[in-house]
Amino acid sequence: MPKDTNSSSHDATQLSQSLLLRILQQNLEDEKTRVSQPALDVIDEYVKTFIKEAMWRAAAQRKDSNKSDNVDMRGGCLFLEAEDLERLAPQLLLDF
């Protein structure tokens, strides 16, 4: 099924399929293992979902923890630090 270029999933979480393939191949035990295009498409969607969920959770957690403090807002948006993602990584990995 062709990808819809007008869908909301075509955004900042767009990943190169060659990057996904390289990450997979570096972590496979057998170097001769081949990954089909449908499998790569599924993995692509999974990684996009993981990234979006991580961003959403980090933003929600940051907003909740800083309601009374000064929140770092740039251009009306919440600015996340790497520490915000690191803080939620254990639970996020357990959930996925």
Side-chain angles (χ1 to χ4, degrees):
M1 178 163 64
K3 290 187 177 184
D4 182 9
T5 57
N6 294 325
S7 72
S8 61
S9 66
H10 189 75
D11 56 7
T13 57
Q14 185 66 29
L15 298 171
S16 158
Q17 290 214 342
S18 61
L19 173 63
L20 284 176
L21 187 58
R22 183 170 178 153
I23 291 169
L24 281 173
Q25 289 175 335
Q26 287 183 342
N27 292 295
L28 293 172
E29 290 183 22
D30 186 1
E31 294 176 8
K32 296 178 185 177
T33 302
R34 294 174 37 193
V35 180
S36 67
Q37 187 61 45
L40 197 56
D41 291 341
V42 169
I43 293 167
D44 182 41
E45 279 302 312
Y46 182 83
V47 170
K48 285 179 190 177
T49 302
F50 183 84
I51 291 170
K52 288 178 184 180
E53 181 69 15
M55 301 279 287
W56 182 85
R57 287 186 189 190
Q61 186 177 42
R62 178 100 185 239
K63 284 179 187 177
D64 288 344
S65 67
N66 291 325
K67 282 188 178 183
S68 62
D69 300 339
N70 290 333
V71 178
D72 187 7
M73 301 288 280
R74 297 185 184 171
C77 296
L78 180 66
F79 184 76
L80 297 174
E81 300 285 341
E83 293 80 21
D84 297 319
L85 294 167
E86 290 170 356
R87 206 173 295 117
L88 65 93
Q91 185 63 47
L92 186 66
L93 291 173
L94 286 173
D95 291 346
F96 272 79

